[in-house]
Amino acid sequence: MIIVMRRGATDAEIDQVTDAVKAVGFEIHLSRGVERTIVGAIGGDRGLLERLHLESLPGVEKVAPISKPYKLASRDFHPEDTVVQIGDHAVGGNDLWVGAGPCSVEGRELLLESARLVRTGGAHALRAGAFKPRTSPYSFQGMGEEGLKILAEAREVTGLPVVTEVMDTRDVELVDAYADVLQIGTRNMQNFNLLREVGRSRRAVLLKRGMTATIEEWLMSAEYIMSEGNHNVILCERGIRTYETATRNTLDLSAVVVAKQLTHLPVVVDPSHGVGKRAWVVAMARAAVAAGADGILVEVHQRPDQAMSDAAQTIGPEAFSQMMREISAIAEVLGRRVPISSTSHV
Ligand code: PEP
Ligand code: MN
């Protein structure tokens, strides 16, 4: 249930409501907006709550059930956009955010070269996997902890925050010690134990949409993370499985529009995994920004053909510069902007 307080309701009135709701066994999540405060009551017996007749308490405007199965992630509960801070930049506000880098950490020199490249190109964060979820057990599986150390060094050298995937509950603590953003990959979107574990961390979590997940299932996964107390969740559309085989996945840009309406969480788009082919990546990044995405996560490499994983969909330095120029122009039309990276002077 949500209890919407009147504009200008006093702290004493809000306290009276929260005390009453807690007393019948509910957990409280307060959302203090510029306009009004919303008290979210989660987890208890609805009958008990109804018997309190909260609508008759001073300062209460209305009491309404949250009809969606996800609560904390829902816009009913938190009407204003959530802004997730990553280093000096934010995701989900007016500014767009760009995370860029190779699919995987391939070695110290190579990653440092990639990091400098994406910094020069204007990225706000460096992406690269140290733990790789490969379809074949015989493919390169990533560098593991050594890769995390290299990522930390790249952050040190370039100032770029680091986005990297965590695949296993047993590695959350380790990855958390090195990363600025914990990425949950498409194959793990419904690994509920992993979601709970990253929910206990206070790091930002980038939650990729499962390749066969509905938008509602994706938001339920965000709810798992948030229900453990971590509200720093960024959603990432990365393409879903359809009958189409020309593209690696079908990049569902309508999901951006729908998710932005249903949830207050930021939504970014990964055009690389979305299409699977280098030549189509920049166009889909442009389309994603036009659709209202809050940012782009893109695979970039200094010599894309030589990338150890996902080479076919990895773009090179020129295409990355082109992408940055073009999404900036589109952002401007929409009254948004791609801010100059705080690391560009380093
Ligand atoms: C990746 O970002 O390199 C990756 C493995 O992504 P996904 O989980 O979307 O396939
Ligand atoms: Mn990849």
Side-chain angles (χ1 to χ4, degrees), residues 29 72-73 221-231 233 264-265:
H29 291 271
L72 299 172
S221 291
E223 187 80 10
Y224 259 94
I225 300 169
M226 298 174 84
S227 69
E228 291 294 330
N230 188 352
H231 289 208
V233 180
H264 50 89
L265 297 172

Side-chain angles (χ1 to χ4, degrees), residues 163-180:
V163 184
T164 198
E165 180 163 353
V166 56
M167 289 169 52
D168 193 306
T169 49
R170 292 166 295 185
D171 296 329
V172 172
E173 215 177 298
L174 176 73
V175 179
D176 189 75
Y178 291 98
D180 300 282

Side-chain angles (χ1 to χ4, degrees), residues 81-98 124-125 155 159-163 179-182 201-206 230-235 264-268 294 337 339-343:
D81 288 341
T82 282
V83 178
V84 176
Q85 196 67 30
I86 303 173
D88 295 331
H89 292 279
V91 193
N94 206 50
D95 286 356
L96 298 187
W97 172 89
V98 176
H124 308 104
R155 173 179 48 219
L160 288 170
V162 161
V163 184
D180 300 282
V181 181
L182 303 171
S201 157
R202 289 300 168 264
R203 292 260 172 242
V205 177
L206 185 137
N230 188 352
H231 289 208
N232 292 315
V233 180
I234 301 161
L235 299 166
H264 50 89
L265 297 172
V267 182
V268 305
D294 295 305
R337 61 172 197 148
I340 292 175
S341 172
S342 68
T343 65

Side-chain angles (χ1 to χ4, degrees), residues 103 127 132-133 165 183 185-187 208 238 273 299:
C103 180
R127 63 136 294 146
K132 294 307 301 178
E165 180 163 353
Q183 178 174 321
T186 192
R187 295 161 187 81
K208 289 214 170 177
R238 49 77 72 203
H273 294 82
E299 290 183 334

Side-chain angles (χ1 to χ4, degrees), residues 102-104 127 132 208 248 270 273 299 309-310 313-314:
C103 180
S104 21
R127 63 136 294 146
K132 294 307 301 178
K208 289 214 170 177
R248 180 177 179 181
D270 172 350
H273 294 82
E299 290 183 334
S309 52
D310 286 347
Q313 66 191 35
T314 300

Side-chain angles (χ1 to χ4, degrees), residues 250-265:
T250 295
L251 187 63
D252 182 10
L253 290 183
S254 56
V256 175
V257 185
V258 176
K260 290 292 292 178
Q261 186 183 323
L262 296 176
T263 177
H264 50 89
L265 297 172

